[in-house]
């Protein structure tokens, strides 16, 4: 991806981001210092007046760009030249307007208008905006490269879940075909629903969708474990509409079945709790552990995978906590209740 293409990837959004506003303020103040040092009578008075002009130009321009970005619905990568033109024209237009406007203040009155300062201010503004856009293009290029790398890593991590998930469900279906045709048909339908979700490109769905997916998985596993597998649910209904990454809860429950229920002759009960405490949404899965002191490393591999996916999705604002004692294993996912976003928002 070359730099010119990078400029078109979300330039308006980048200009009004925290990084863009900070860069604009730094550039404006730097320009004020340079302009004042070049020619001044009273340094501090001149610096104050020039800073007022440059910052007014910058903030008014960013406000107009923010307003334009709200109503601009087309994809930025399809209109890179248009976005570049919008930013350039906005800054120059505001600069010309301010340069003319300050000539009608009590401190400086020119009739008719003195076009010399207007042209010189516009030329300086043009030079600064070109430099700013160049550095913004580098920033946008880096953001998009990071987003693409993160998306690829998420896809790779999620792909590790799918074969393991498919392997277990197919084994269950194969066993049922020899034991009960009706159960095998029901299991095949459950498997079809599970595969449609787990193999879909959709990366986000609601907690209600994730709970339904998990219940379908547990229904399949009950064909294997029957009464050995018991599940207790505790869910706050108000959270069912909250969006979360696909395959967030289900892998934890599958992990609990494989390393808790399956390894215990008497089976056990999996407790699944979804609640909100202050500004944190909590998904907690608790399962009993086998009496053997040896624990499979599968627990660690699965939980590290989930933790890494959450970190990429939520930019380190979500986490997975693991607690283990002699008789139970507790996996707790902590999610922010606001501000969650998908990586596609960068593109």
């Amino acid at each position: 991806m070359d730099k010119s293409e990078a400029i078109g990837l979300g330039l308006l959004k980048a200009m009004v981001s925290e990084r863009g506003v900070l860069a604009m303020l730094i550039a404006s103040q730097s320009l004020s210092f340079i302009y004042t040092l070049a020619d001044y009578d009273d340094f501090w008075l001149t610096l104050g007046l020039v800073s007022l002009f440059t910052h007014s130009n910058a903030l008014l321009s960013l406000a107009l760009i923010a307003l334009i970005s709200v109503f601009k619905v087309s994809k930025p990568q399809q209109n890179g030249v248009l976005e570049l033109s919008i930013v350039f024209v906005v800054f120059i237009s505001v600069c010309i307007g301010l340069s003319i406007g300050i000539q009608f203040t009590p401190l400086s009155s020119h009739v008719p208008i003195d076009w010399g300062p207007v042209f010189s201010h516009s030329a300086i503004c043009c030079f600064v905006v070109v430099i700013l856009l160049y550095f913004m293009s580098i920033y946008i290029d880096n953001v998009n490269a990071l987003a693409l790398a993160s998306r690829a890593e998420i896809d790779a991590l999620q792909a590790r879940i799918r074969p393991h998930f498919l392997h277990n469900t197919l084994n269950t279906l194969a066993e049922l075909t020899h034991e009960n045709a009706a159960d095998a048909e029901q299991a095949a339908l459950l498997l079809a629903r599970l595969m449609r979700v787990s193999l879909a490109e959709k990366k986000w769905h609601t907690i209600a969708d994730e709970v339904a997916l998990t219940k379908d998985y547990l229904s399949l596993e009950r064909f294997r474990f029957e009464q050995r597998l018991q599940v207790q649910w505790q869910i706050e209904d108000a959270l069912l509409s909250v969006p979360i990454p696909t395959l967030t809860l289900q892998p934890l429950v599958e992990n609990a079945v494989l390393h808790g229920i399956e390894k215990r002759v008497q089976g056990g009960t999996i407790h699944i709790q979804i609640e909100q405490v202050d500004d944190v949404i909590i998904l907690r899965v608790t399962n009993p552990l086998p009496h053997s002191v040896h624990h499979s490393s599968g627990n660690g591999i699965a939980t590290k995978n989930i933790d890494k996916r959450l970190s990429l999705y939520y930019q380190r604002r979500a986490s997975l906590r693991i607690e283990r004692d002699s008789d139970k294993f507790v996996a707790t996912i902590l999610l922010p209740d606001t501000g969650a976003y998908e990586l596609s928002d960068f593109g």
Side-chain angles (χ1 to χ4, degrees), residues 66-84:
L67 185 63
I68 294 171
S69 65
V70 171
F71 296 99
K72 186 176 180 298
V73 296
S74 58
K75 294 183 178 180
Q77 58 264 38
Q78 296 176 352
N79 291 279
V81 176
L82 175 60
E83 289 202 341
L84 183 63

Side-chain angles (χ1 to χ4, degrees), residues 154-173:
I154 285 176
D155 290 339
L157 290 168
Q158 189 154 321
R160 295 179 190 175
I161 295 176
R162 291 168 180 165
H164 187 246
F165 175 76
L166 182 60
H167 176 267
N168 285 285
T169 51
L170 286 177
N171 281 342
T172 300
L173 184 59

Side-chain angles (χ1 to χ4, degrees), residues 56 88 97 201 213 236 242 262 294-295 321 330:
S56 298
F88 193 82
E201 294 298 324
L213 173 69
E236 293 184 7
V242 174
E262 186 174 13
H294 173 72
H295 299 299
R321 296 179 181 177
V330 182

Side-chain angles (χ1 to χ4, degrees), residues 241 256 289:
S241 61
L289 287 175

Side-chain angles (χ1 to χ4, degrees), residues 263-264 266 289-295 326-327:
K263 297 183 183 298
R264 291 168 56 94
Q266 73 276 29
L289 287 175
H291 296 301
S292 170
V293 296
H294 173 72
H295 299 299
S326 59
D327 62 350

Side-chain angles (χ1 to χ4, degrees), residues 8-20:
L9 295 178
L11 176 60
L12 296 184
K13 184 184 293 186
M15 290 298 298
V16 296
S17 66
E18 293 180 0
R19 184 70 63 88

